Amino acid sequence: MDAFVLQILNGLDKGGAYALIALGLTLVFGTLGVVNFAHGALFMLGAFCAVAVEKLLTLSKQVKDESITFFDAYKEQPYLEIWWGDFGRAIIDYSVPLSILFAIPVMLLFGFVMERGLIRHFYKRSHAEQILVTFGLAIVLQEIIKAAFGANPIPQAAPEPVSGSANIGAWFGLGEAVVYPYWRLIYLFFSLSVIGGVFAFLNMTTYGMVVRAGMADRETVGLLGINIQKRFTVVFGLAAVAAGLAGVMYTPILPPDYHMGMDFLVLSFVVVVVGGMGSLPGAVAAGFLLGILQSFSSMTEVKSIIPGIDQIIIYLIAVAVLLVRPRGLMGRKGVMES
Amino acid sequence: MPTTPSFPKLQSELAIMAVFAAAVLTMPLWMAPFGAAYPDLLQKFAIYGIFAIGFNLLFGLTGYLSFGHAAFLGVGSYAAVWSFKLFTMNVLPAVVFGTLVASLFAVLIGFVALRRAGIYFSILTLALAQMSYNMAYSVLTPITNGETGLQLTQNDPRMIDHMFVDRGAGLPSTNLFGLEMSGYPGFYFCAVVLIIAFFISLRIFRSPFGLKLRAIKSNQTRMGYTGFNTRPHLLFAFIISGGFAGLAGSLLAITDPLAGAERMQWTASGEVVLMTILGGAGTLVGPLLGAGLIKYFENIFSAFNDSTLHEIFAFLPDGLESVVVFLVSPFVGEGWHLTLGALFMVIVIFLPGGIMEGLRRLSRLVRRPSAGRADQPQTQEG
């Protein structure tokens, strides 16, 4: 039972990342009708926003190490610590959450530029060409990051107060074995609230209503005198921010490296296909579902029955779903069907 | 019955093949001025040329964009190395075995993936290839030797070889009935295979079968309405395409009898897509051009470093030189993939028809003033 609960929890935080990326992907499908192979790169850019902020906050200078008295020793001390003491230290400790403030404008701007500069010219081109050009962009982005930050993963620490593990078992009376890192819990709630925010934006604001109308019938909305193009650009920026935030908050769980975007992209595409192209609830549900299934299949009990199942379960499910229910679990008719 | 269109006569095909064969076989001569006349690189041109030709048979003719073609390349490599390990170091059985296994694998993948079209097909092939890649690293370790890669060892059975000769001291090398497949013999072997592959591709392009595939590309629904079952043709094209990839993979194993799962990674699949697009999808020689260019520049650019750059731009004034070197250096050496990605984007954005399209436009520009006709009827073949 404990192991069961633990696996569900393990699956949920990974599922949160899948769901956030898949949400943006399917949002872009549904509005712009563009297959964005660079979406994983946006996730990666988000993660490197966190790295950049951390590097910026810990800019240091050499100071004399007072604790060593036998000879002159020097150590690196961050400027923030020198200027503001404990407060500066706290800021450095909270660099990952603080990066969110940095990542939102950066990702929004990047999304706008990418949509205006590149994606816009590919609305009318074939899906194959959309895939190819965004694939090229993804390579370019990841190589730039590699040139700037190196090829090795750069670990990021969660803030000190939440770096330990929560004894969830004791909270709910399940047994002592259900221990789970605080940060993953935070990630789960964070991804849920971002997803909730996107849904609220689309379903509860007039702006979102128009966007949804545009998803259903772009032409008619245009005929009503609404600049649907502009709103779709905003939607693209939103999708970029969602992917970027997913990346920022994921850094303490997985040290970011330059190809993490590609790794997540393939899986997120599978998630979108399983959930159904153009279906937002489908993407979210499939994200969590596949995350949980993946963590279950990595249990040793399961692996002893079917070896290696954890490596391929997601792909197997995608193949099965596409063959049995080609539109995906919640796919709508007429989206991306050729 | 659809009327059979008149296809160019046999003579023209023979002429094309003669020119092509001459061009390929004399590559060591005319590549020399470009500094590419050494067998390892020429061999790569031929092998990736075959890979791209095969990919083009699927993507160029039917428009189905497979994002998992490297899986067949990897499977072909593994099969060829197993042939070396189990039977003989002769390359012919290895090539046949590699191609066959990859084709069988393509039957499996194609059967599943071809149920869907468009972007779903791309994602399905991507997912299936990624699955094979993951399996090669984990469950299939007994067959693939996991991360180490499949290698020849002293203790391999090599049943056929050992019936005739005793076990030597070192590792045996690949051969064609005694002729060692390293250096120029290796290149000429690959070149001959390339010529055969090109001939098959030419025949398919000009056959009713090729025409059907093109019809599928232009309007699959209408093909269905005329009572034409497209799936078997698509599957057949997919199998041929996968077989070509397997052939290329087994040739890679001949050059260097070692197979690793990284050949199956999806970035490798992306590379063959780029080769085809760069040269011109749907044209006969375009993919070959693309493959050659990419392998050539990969070889040249990835060898550059800052000091060679400084030598190249030494004619510039000092300050300007450092600026230019600073700007160029991220694109060469380790950063060669950046160039590749940027090239990918530029080609798709500005020249979706690839180099062949560019050449066609150029020739039209040149011809326009004299012929006075804006639109000459253009053929799809190059």
Side-chain angles (χ1 to χ4, degrees):
Chain A
M1 181 63 197
D2 287 355
F4 196 75
V5 175
L6 203 61
Q7 289 307 327
I8 290 187
L9 282 172
N10 270 335
L12 281 177
D13 67 75
K14 205 169 223 174
Y18 292 158
L20 271 179
I21 304 172
L23 184 73
L25 264 181
T26 198
L27 205 57
V28 173
F29 276 139
T31 50
L32 307 171
V34 168
V35 188
N36 184 11
F37 259 54
H39 207 74
L42 296 176
F43 175 72
M44 186 252 322
L45 278 187
F48 276 89
C49 279
V51 175
V53 167
E54 198 245 10
K55 286 232 188 296
L56 207 66
L57 290 181
T58 52
L59 277 181
S60 327
K61 80 169 186 185
Q62 283 202 332
V63 291
K64 202 168 171 198
D65 193 343
E66 304 292 346
S67 61
I68 297 171
T69 47
F70 299 113
F71 54 92
D72 281 354
Y74 293 93
K75 64 174 179 181
E76 298 266 310
Q77 195 174 22
Y79 282 109
L80 282 179
E81 215 176 296
I82 299 169
W83 296 336
W84 295 333
D86 280 350
F87 180 62
R89 217 166 291 140
I91 288 183
I92 293 172
D93 192 26
Y94 280 87
S95 82
V96 171
L98 282 175
S99 318
I100 293 176
L101 300 178
F102 175 69
I104 289 177
V106 168
M107 295 310 294
L108 199 63
L109 190 73
F110 191 84
F112 285 166
V113 170
M114 185 173 156
E115 206 279 330
R116 288 274 159 121
L118 182 72
I119 305 290
R120 167 156 301 182
H121 308 287
F122 276 80
Y123 291 160
K124 297 262 155 55
R125 309 271 282 265
S126 69
H127 288 316
E129 283 175 328
Q130 294 169 355
I131 291 177
L132 292 172
V133 81
T134 48
F135 178 67
L137 180 67
I139 296 177
V140 169
L141 288 178
Q142 92 175 30
E143 289 302 316
I144 290 174
I145 289 294
K146 187 178 160 192
F149 291 94
N152 294 324
I154 306 165
Q156 298 290 308
E160 177 67 35
V162 290
S163 62
S165 291
N167 196 344
I168 297 177
W171 297 354
F172 296 104
L174 282 172
E176 293 295 308
V178 186
V179 177
Y180 196 63
Y182 278 112
W183 186 261
R184 289 180 180 237
L185 272 186
I186 292 173
Y187 190 84
L188 177 60
F189 286 112
F190 177 79
S191 58
L192 283 177
S193 51
V194 173
I195 291 167
V198 171
F199 273 90
F201 172 73
L202 286 176
N203 288 316
M204 293 174 187
T205 61
T206 323
Y207 201 98
M209 188 183 72
V210 175
V211 169
R212 278 185 298 132
M215 281 169 91
D217 188 344
R218 167 200 293 227
E219 203 178 352
T220 309
V221 176
L223 289 175
L224 290 172
I226 291 167
N227 187 353
I228 193 71
Q229 207 60 64
K230 204 171 143 195
R231 303 196 178 214
F232 281 176
T233 308
V234 172
V235 168
F236 192 91
L238 209 73
V241 170
L245 290 184
V248 169
M249 294 294 277
Y250 210 67
T251 48
I253 301 177
L254 180 80
D257 54 17
Y258 70 100
H259 56 74
M260 74 188 293
M262 289 288 189
D263 303 344
F264 270 78
L265 176 83
V266 181
L267 292 172
S268 310
F269 255 112
V270 171
V271 167
V272 171
V273 168
V274 169
M277 294 271 184
S279 160
L280 299 178
V284 174
F288 283 109
L289 183 75
L290 289 183
I292 291 172
L293 278 176
Q294 199 182 23
S295 83
F296 269 122
S297 62
S298 58
M299 286 168 79
T300 37
E301 290 90 338
V302 179
K303 272 204 275 192
S304 63
I305 304 170
I306 319 166
I309 185 73
D310 54 323
Q311 299 284 328
I312 57 172
I313 177 94
I314 286 192
Y315 305 109
L316 275 184
I317 287 172
V319 170
V321 165
L322 273 186
L323 294 182
V324 178
R325 254 187 89 84
R327 261 180 218 135
L329 295 178
M330 301 185 191
R332 289 178 298 133
K333 199 180 172 187
V335 176
M336 289 284 156
E337 287 178 349
S338 50
Chain B
M1 279 291 287
T3 51
T4 318
S6 60
F7 289 100
K9 295 215 175 65
L10 191 66
Q11 286 99 312
S12 83
E13 265 169 37
L14 280 178
I16 292 175
M17 285 315 297
V19 171
F20 181 75
V24 170
L25 292 176
T26 54
M27 248 161 55
L29 293 177
W30 58 265
M31 286 306 272
F34 302 103
Y38 48 97
D40 276 7
L41 186 59
L42 292 174
Q43 219 162 10
K44 259 191 192 158
F45 289 166
I47 292 170
Y48 282 93
I50 295 171
F51 192 19
I53 287 179
F55 181 79
N56 184 44
L57 282 177
L58 182 72
F59 177 58
L61 287 180
T62 67
Y64 274 62
L65 174 60
S66 158
F67 239 88
H69 244 57
F72 303 120
L73 188 85
V75 167
S77 287
Y78 281 127
V81 176
W82 271 111
S83 158
F84 292 142
K85 282 170 89 76
L86 290 180
F87 306 116
T88 166
M89 291 306 288
N90 195 327
V91 293
L92 272 188
V95 166
V96 173
F97 190 57
T99 315
L100 268 184
V101 172
S103 308
L104 282 177
F105 191 59
V107 174
L108 277 181
I109 302 253
F111 183 76
V112 175
L114 283 169
R115 286 166 177 263
R116 311 290 300 148
I119 167 175
Y120 286 103
F121 175 78
S122 303
I123 294 175
L124 262 178
T125 44
L126 177 59
L128 287 166
Q130 202 66 11
M131 189 165 110
S132 328
Y133 169 72
N134 283 348
M135 278 165 73
Y137 263 134
S138 56
V139 206
L140 298 180
T141 308
I143 302 176
T144 60
N145 205 11
E147 283 185 37
T148 330
L150 194 61
Q151 292 165 348
L152 300 179
T153 61
Q154 274 291 331
N155 306 326
D156 292 332
R158 260 188 286 285
M159 286 181 270
I160 299 175
D161 279 5
H162 292 152
M163 281 193 282
F164 303 108
V165 267
D166 287 331
R167 225 172 260 272
L171 281 176
S173 54
T174 54
N175 62 68
L176 177 69
F177 303 113
L179 181 65
E180 278 202 14
M181 283 291 116
S182 57
Y184 273 109
F187 161 67
Y188 280 111
F189 180 74
C190 293
V192 169
V193 177
L194 171 67
I195 292 167
I196 297 170
F198 183 77
F199 179 67
I200 295 172
S201 154
L202 178 76
R203 285 303 310 151
I204 290 176
F205 263 72
R206 298 186 161 190
S207 68
F209 172 63
L211 201 65
K212 280 174 202 157
L213 294 182
R214 269 183 241 188
I216 290 171
K217 182 182 189 176
S218 65
N219 195 334
Q220 175 147 219
T221 322
R222 188 176 291 174
M223 287 290 275
Y225 286 156
T226 54
F228 188 88
N229 190 0
T230 54
R231 180 111 27 100
H233 290 82
L234 280 171
L235 185 60
F236 196 45
F238 192 80
I239 295 169
I240 296 175
S241 183
F244 269 59
L247 178 63
S250 53
L251 288 179
L252 276 179
I254 285 169
T255 332
D256 182 14
L258 186 134
E262 70 281 349
R263 267 180 205 166
M264 304 169 82
Q265 216 171 6
W266 73 296
T267 42
S269 303
E271 202 184 41
V272 71
V273 179
L274 174 57
M275 288 170 182
T276 311
I277 300 272
L278 174 67
T283 62
L284 257 178
V285 291
L288 270 174
L289 276 182
L293 275 177
I294 285 182
K295 284 294 150 190
Y296 177 70
F297 284 115
E298 178 182 29
N299 191 55
I300 303 257
F301 279 6
S302 53
F304 279 2
N305 52 34
D306 276 5
S307 61
T308 45
L309 279 181
H310 277 290
E311 272 170 38
I312 292 172
F313 293 109
F315 63 91
L316 292 170
D318 274 356
L320 191 61
E321 186 200 317
S322 336
V323 173
V324 169
V325 169
F326 176 76
L327 285 179
V328 174
S329 64
F331 288 91
V332 297
E334 291 273 291
W336 151 247
H337 279 103
L338 182 58
T339 320
L340 207 65
L343 185 71
F344 211 137
M345 288 177 69
V346 169
I347 288 287
V348 178
I349 293 171
F350 298 108
L351 206 65
I355 293 174
M356 297 307 288
E357 167 80 22
L359 289 179
R360 220 172 293 146
R361 280 191 206 169
L362 266 181
S363 79
R364 213 179 303 168
L365 267 181
V366 174
R367 232 180 293 166
R368 189 182 287 161
S370 56
R373 280 172 62 188
D375 276 278
Q376 305 237 338
Q378 300 291 336
T379 52
Q380 267 288 309
E381 289 164 49

